[in-house]
Amino acid sequence: MKKTSTRLADGRELIYYDLRDDAVREAVDRRPLDRTVTTSEIRHDELLGDSVAIASHRQGRTYHPPADECPLCPSEGDRLSEIPDASYDVVVFENRFPSLAGDSGRCEVVCFTSDHTSSFADLSEEQARLVLDAWTDRTSELSHLPSVEQVFCFENRGAEIGVTLQHPHGQIYAYPFTTPRTALMLRSLAAHKDATGGENLFDAVLQRELAGERVVLEGEHWAAFVPYAAHWPYEVHLYPKRRVPDLLALGEEARSEFPQVYLELLRRFDRIFGEGEPPTPYIAAWHQAPFGQLEEFEGVTRDDFALHLELFTIRRTSGKLKYLAGSESGMSVFINDVPPERAAERLREVAS
């Protein structure tokens, strides 16, 4: 992998990640852009104990542009985009309309390929490995920013999810706090460790699932399963078999196997609902240990946390979506219409 860092016309950072070591990236952003101005602010909810990002400037972000005006495609002739060069393998840049900025963190866009009509599932194993290396590098770099406590790499895919740009891409959020979902895991981890005299909850869950009926696919270094209490109609958790706290700690063998396992998982997701169905909308979310202090989670260290990816779709059956209505949105109590055992069975049935 070759990494080349440059700046866009408004001062934002852009980084090329290339498969070839001889790649040259000298293209200049020729757009007449003013310096980026953001209004991101973090507000703490005293009743719930969580935080909300207030980012009014995002109202003006690009919304469903035609394919020939996609800002994530390479620049070509007089059509200038966020990527100055005429081609790229993987590219990362600071979001022009970030939810988090400055002392409130940082948001980046990760373009998986220059092919506008492609998807992550269409990548080669070599390309998918490059994306993994880019996620890892960005996690390392962002973790050193003084305002950052947690790094979250994710992909939203599909208009049903709310994606406004159809080009295959993901995002990275660098939060100035430990996110509520991660805090819940850490509290459960601490309670289990205390109640069992030191057993790791993530290890216990993984071993239980590997011995059960909800395994979707398994490699030498990775395992994918539908969790016992899945919140979503089709939800899969992907774990490295050797517990590590973040992407930085993944060993080379796990890195090498990841593209094969993850690409197969994504391709199965696209076959869940049968032939002729539009691509399955999904969210793919990496959970990594926070880089901040964990004193409030008594007895827990970063090494107790288990890196894992959660992949789920909001489509519950052909042509129907799972909406977060009263119980889910009002009380955070999910109601799942698809038994996890049946979901796992279906994902095994559609193996390539």
Side-chain angles (χ1 to χ4, degrees):
M1 179 186 78
K2 181 180 180 181
K3 175 183 175 183
T4 306
S5 180
T6 184
R7 292 281 172 180
L8 296 173
D10 55 8
R12 289 175 294 132
E13 186 178 18
L14 179 142
I15 307 157
Y16 293 98
Y17 293 90
D18 286 295
L19 291 168
R20 293 169 54 99
D21 289 337
D22 59 354
V24 177
R25 300 297 183 184
E26 297 178 340
V28 176
D29 185 4
R30 295 180 282 126
R31 296 173 297 170
L33 298 180
D34 295 328
R35 299 288 296 187
T36 300
V37 178
T38 64
T39 57
S40 180
E41 176 188 358
I42 301 297
R43 296 188 180 180
H44 183 70
D45 187 318
E46 294 178 312
L47 289 178
L48 296 180
D50 59 10
S51 298
V52 177
I54 309 296
S56 60
H57 64 276
R58 284 174 51 79
Q59 288 281 33
R61 65 187 184 274
T62 308
Y63 187 81
H64 292 299
D68 61 355
E69 296 179 17
C70 174
L72 306 186
C73 287
S75 292
E76 183 178 0
D78 293 331
R79 187 182 62 77
L80 305 178
S81 73
E82 290 280 64
I83 296 90
D85 217 321
S87 66
Y88 64 85
D89 292 332
V90 172
V91 72
V92 177
F93 60 88
E94 289 184 75
N95 198 320
R96 191 176 179 185
F97 304 96
S99 302
L100 310 166
D103 292 339
S104 297
R106 176 159 155 153
C107 293
E108 298 182 340
V109 176
V110 183
C111 298
F112 303 139
T113 171
S114 60
D115 184 355
H116 182 84
T117 62
S118 185
S119 70
F120 201 118
D122 296 325
L123 300 181
S124 68
E125 291 186 15
E126 185 180 35
Q127 290 172 308
R129 169 60 190 266
L130 184 62
V131 175
L132 175 64
D133 290 342
W135 283 331
T136 305
D137 180 71
R138 297 316 302 153
T139 296
S140 176
E141 292 290 329
L142 293 171
S143 70
H144 289 95
L145 296 180
S147 63
V148 172
E149 285 196 16
Q150 187 170 1
V151 179
F152 175 47
C153 307
F154 64 100
E155 179 191 2
N156 296 328
R157 190 241 209 167
E160 300 93 330
I161 297 294
V163 174
T164 58
L165 298 175
Q166 297 307 310
H167 195 102
H169 73 287
Q171 299 180 67
I172 302 175
Y173 278 20
Y175 297 102
F177 51 80
T178 296
T179 61
R181 188 173 178 88
T182 302
L184 285 174
M185 294 185 202
L186 291 168
R187 292 190 192 102
S188 297
L189 190 61
H192 185 85
K193 189 174 185 178
D194 180 64
T196 60
E199 182 181 62
N200 184 280
L201 179 58
F202 285 112
D203 293 349
V205 168
L206 179 58
Q207 292 309 310
R208 183 186 68 222
E209 293 292 358
L210 286 175
E213 59 181 320
R214 289 179 296 274
V215 174
V216 174
L217 60 90
E218 184 178 356
E220 184 178 354
H221 304 285
W222 292 88
F225 58 86
V226 177
Y228 170 73
H231 289 57
W232 299 93
Y234 289 91
E235 174 182 341
V236 175
H237 293 191
L238 178 63
Y239 277 71
K241 290 185 175 179
R242 183 179 70 84
R243 172 167 42 91
V244 294
D246 52 38
L247 290 166
L248 303 175
L250 273 179
E252 179 55 35
E253 291 180 332
R255 291 182 181 280
S256 295
E257 187 182 72
F258 171 78
Q260 176 187 351
V261 174
Y262 187 49
L263 290 173
E264 171 62 17
L265 194 57
L266 292 179
R267 290 162 186 166
R268 291 190 192 190
F269 253 61
D270 273 343
R271 292 193 291 268
I272 294 173
F273 303 105
E275 296 293 332
E277 287 291 320
T280 301
Y282 65 73
I283 293 175
W286 280 108
H287 292 268
Q288 305 192 77
F291 291 96
Q293 300 299 314
L294 302 180
E295 283 87 352
E296 64 178 292
F297 310 104
E298 189 173 349
V300 171
T301 68
R302 289 193 80 251
D303 289 337
D304 290 320
F305 195 86
L307 167 75
H308 62 285
L309 181 140
E310 295 184 8
L311 173 69
F312 61 89
T313 180
I314 62 171
R315 187 180 292 166
R316 56 188 175 88
T317 189
S318 179
K320 297 180 181 179
L321 301 180
K322 164 65 178 177
Y323 292 102
L324 299 189
S327 185
E328 292 88 354
S329 296
M331 283 297 178
S332 294
V333 178
F334 275 69
I335 300 169
N336 190 352
D337 301 322
V338 180
E341 293 74 22
R342 174 54 189 150
E345 181 182 24
R346 177 60 181 156
L347 284 162
R348 290 193 297 269
E349 289 174 350
V350 294
S352 59

